[in-house]
Amino acid sequence: MYSIIGSGIAGLACGYMLSHFGIENEIFESSEHKTANQYGIQLSPNASNVLQKMGILKKLEPHIKVINNIEIYSIEKLKKLTTLPVNEFINKNNLTNYYTASRDILHKELLSDVISSGTKINYDSKIKKVEDLGGKIKIINENKTIRNCEKLIIANGNSSSPIFDRISCSPIANDFMTYRSAVKVQELPLKISADTIYLFLGKGMHIVIYPFFEDLLNIVMITKNNIDVVMQKNKRNIEKGIYSFLRAQDWHSWSLYDSKITLNLDNSRPIFAIGDAAHSIKPHLAQGASMALEDAFTLGKSIGENNTTESVHYAMNARKKRIDKVIRNSTLNRKIFHAPSIISVFRDFFLEKTNGLSQLDNLKWLYDYEV
Ligand SMILES: Cc1cc2nc3c(=O)[nH]c(=O)nc-3n(C[C@H](O)[C@H](O)[C@H](O)COP(=O)(O)OP(=O)(O)OC[C@H]3O[C@@H](n4cnc5c(N)ncnc54)[C@H](O)[C@@H]3O)c2cc1C
């Protein structure tokens, strides 16, 4: 019997995989709610490949959007810098599609499959601490109830205070803020295509806009410092309609928590960590959930194939090189997206001159990965 802490994408996908192999599992989830939120998520080909292998993609397809292009603009005068021809890249490399989806729908689909396969989800169960006593594993709830479990998967997301002493987390100071909003297509003062992700680069900020559900657009703005300071800096250069639109949004905002997570798990013990609980990835390459899905698939499959505890750890440790590369590339994207004024001139010039397909070719290692 496996106990899983956390019912985010990682925990649910892992529960699903274990049930698929007939392995009993239960989930402990701190929140009382059964759903995620109405915002969007990008599912790049490596993520949709996992969902396809899990048999979930077909069920999701009627509700998710296929992305054919990523267009990059300078927010100043809305000048297009380049188009990344996602569809051409996918056809050339015979990959599954790049999608955008509602987080809610992805979450509900995973949840319904997990529940129908017999997994019990214990809501309102915040796990405070995990203790490995050699023969047994103790999980201690917030209300001090103690449960013994045989085997454990930690999937409780990005937390500043890890619940297990073999997972350490050092916060990295940063002053980035995330602002999120969802609007109807017709409310955006820009003409956009339903199959395109738009990336706008500005001074100390970038904005990502994409369709994700019916006629809704997901808008994420990441800024260095506070929104008022950043909007003031960009005021003169942004087209008036867009400026007013951004100012009028009812943003859901939070500071972008950044950390370095180190796993020091004992290879002889059946305790594993996946998703944001195991690595902290900046959102600038849109890969956090994709890595959570890859982790969950690899772990579930390795356990399901009756491997020894050591070999399951081996399979998970083998992912480290890839995860580190994703972390490095996400960090690089953050530097590029938030380049200071002078450097941003070179960045924009470079983006205009390079071929979009060759930019995607540079990410082939990421998107054509086989789990
Ligand atoms: C602005 C932004 C945009 C992003 N966009 C994308 C994108 O487009 N594509 C992409 O691939 N990734 C994206 N990501 C990253 C992605 O959202 C995360 O990497 C992903 O949700 C991680 O999933 P998880 O299951 O590991 O963690 P979470 O989704 O955080 O789930 C953890 C679960 O554990 C529960 N929990 C927490 N603590 C406890 C506890 N102590 N006991 C019990 N339960 C607990 C939580 O309630 C939650 O349900 C983005 C991130 C940000 C910040």
Side-chain angles (χ1 to χ4, degrees), residues 98-162:
Y98 199 122
Y99 295 96
T100 57
S102 147
R103 281 179 183 253
D104 213 15
I105 285 177
L106 176 61
H107 191 264
K108 275 185 184 148
E109 186 53 56
L110 284 167
L111 187 63
S112 78
D113 285 336
V114 162
I115 291 174
S116 63
S117 63
T119 299
K120 184 179 171 215
I121 305 196
N122 305 288
Y123 286 102
D124 212 359
S125 299
K126 182 167 180 151
I127 305 304
K128 264 279 213 226
K129 202 170 176 206
V130 170
E131 284 179 8
D132 183 12
L133 306 173
K136 59 181 176 185
I137 303 161
K138 265 209 278 189
I139 54 174
I140 302 157
N141 199 305
E142 201 178 29
N143 61 16
K144 302 214 165 47
T145 27
I146 298 176
R147 285 276 295 265
N148 291 327
C149 59
E150 289 169 58
K151 297 168 181 183
L152 183 69
I153 294 165
I154 300 174
N156 66 327
N158 204 342
S159 153
S160 53
S161 47

Side-chain angles (χ1 to χ4, degrees), residues 6 8-10 29-30 42 103 125 127 156-157 178 275-276 286-290:
I9 292 171
E29 165 58 48
S30 58
Q42 298 180 43
R103 281 179 183 253
S125 299
I127 305 304
N156 66 327
T178 306
D276 280 6
Q287 281 298 314
S290 309

Side-chain angles (χ1 to χ4, degrees), residues 132-347:
D132 183 12
L133 306 173
K136 59 181 176 185
I137 303 161
K138 265 209 278 189
I139 54 174
I140 302 157
N141 199 305
E142 201 178 29
N143 61 16
K144 302 214 165 47
T145 27
I146 298 176
R147 285 276 295 265
N148 291 327
C149 59
E150 289 169 58
K151 297 168 181 183
L152 183 69
I153 294 165
I154 300 174
N156 66 327
N158 204 342
S159 153
S160 53
S161 47
I163 52 178
F164 183 40
D165 62 6
R166 283 183 171 267
I167 301 179
S168 71
C169 167
S170 344
I172 299 171
N174 77 73
D175 45 10
F176 285 89
M177 290 287 299
T178 306
Y179 297 84
R180 212 169 203 168
S181 175
V183 297
K184 293 208 159 145
V185 176
Q186 53 271 29
E187 289 171 35
L188 187 76
L190 272 181
K191 214 171 147 18
I192 62 151
S193 300
D195 64 350
T196 302
I197 293 174
Y198 296 84
L199 168 63
F200 297 93
L201 303 175
K203 286 193 172 73
M205 59 118 99
H206 82 270
I207 302 171
V208 181
I209 301 180
Y210 56 81
F212 72 105
F213 180 63
E214 293 177 349
D215 63 347
L216 282 176
L217 295 173
N218 187 73
I219 308 183
V220 173
M221 171 155 62
I222 297 186
T223 64
K224 201 154 171 38
N225 297 312
N226 179 284
I227 191 167
D228 295 323
V229 176
V230 169
M231 290 306 281
Q232 197 55 41
K233 269 193 194 164
N234 285 275
K235 187 171 182 177
R236 267 199 264 142
N237 303 312
I238 306 184
E239 192 268 329
K240 272 202 184 108
I242 307 284
Y243 185 85
S244 315
F245 168 80
L246 293 173
R247 288 311 263 165
Q249 284 312 299
D250 183 14
W251 297 108
H252 169 61
S253 70
W254 68 97
S255 49
L256 203 53
Y257 178 69
D258 206 356
S259 62
K260 179 171 173 22
I261 295 176
T262 310
L263 298 183
N264 182 27
L265 301 174
D266 179 343
N267 287 353
S268 68
R269 301 288 300 136
I271 303 180
F272 307 95
I274 54 173
D276 280 6
H279 36 68
S280 171
I281 303 175
K282 295 173 186 63
H284 299 72
L285 192 58
Q287 281 298 314
S290 309
M291 290 304 118
L293 284 168
E294 287 184 13
D295 283 354
F297 188 91
T298 306
L299 181 61
K301 184 163 171 273
S302 188
I303 292 172
E305 285 170 348
N306 266 331
N307 285 318
T308 59
T309 300
E310 279 85 0
S311 9
V312 178
H313 275 292
Y314 182 81
M316 295 311 287
N317 291 339
R319 286 192 46 71
K320 188 172 179 334
K321 210 168 147 196
R322 173 169 172 78
I323 301 275
D324 286 347
K325 194 166 176 183
V326 170
I327 292 174
R328 281 198 305 279
N329 277 265
S330 307
T331 307
L332 179 65
N333 267 9
R334 173 147 102 183
K335 286 188 181 141
I336 295 170
F337 291 3
H338 295 270
S341 286
I342 301 170
I343 298 173
S344 70
V345 175
F346 291 105
R347 171 198 66 200

